[in-house]
Amino acid sequence: MARTYPSRGGIQAGSLSYYEALLDNPNVQRGLAVIRTTEGTAKSREPYNMAFGMRRIGDLSWHPGKSYKFTQTNGKANRTTAAGAYQFLKGTWNGVAKQLGLKSFNAKNQDIAALALIDRRGGLEPLVKGDVRGFVNAVG
């Protein structure tokens, strides 16, 4: 299916520049805010600096990669490396950062990486268009 998102001077879809340009879209900003809210990080004054369990990350030069213990709802012990506004797992972050050439875990790069992951799930086009139902159905 051909993408129908707004183009910006021939910027290649799926590129760092493409996702960066989409950050100006108000629907994109609303969608990212919804994800921060559902991840619980929006409660913080510094959502981009939050690791799992609302632990503050001081250094955003790269994903902290720290592993935290937690108990699942079924009582099973588990661990997670979730961090940042969108609670990226270390492996997920490293993969998308490599794909896009991201050089730090700063707020803008977290937003860009989130858009790339939304795009992989087919949620970017509905998000840009303001189709909330289509966005939510795509990204769950």
Side-chain angles (χ1 to χ4, degrees), residues 54-75:
M54 297 302 281
R55 294 171 177 91
R56 189 174 187 288
I57 303 167
D59 178 9
L60 294 181
S61 61
W62 198 250
H63 187 289
K66 284 188 155 188
S67 180
Y68 300 100
K69 293 179 184 179
F70 71 99
T71 304
Q72 296 177 176
T73 55
N74 65 3

Side-chain angles (χ1 to χ4, degrees), residues 4-25:
T4 59
Y5 328 141
S7 66
R8 296 244 179 155
I11 296 173
Q12 182 180 347
S15 69
L16 173 62
S17 299
Y18 181 73
Y19 297 125
E20 188 173 29
L22 286 173
L23 291 176
D24 292 335
N25 182 295

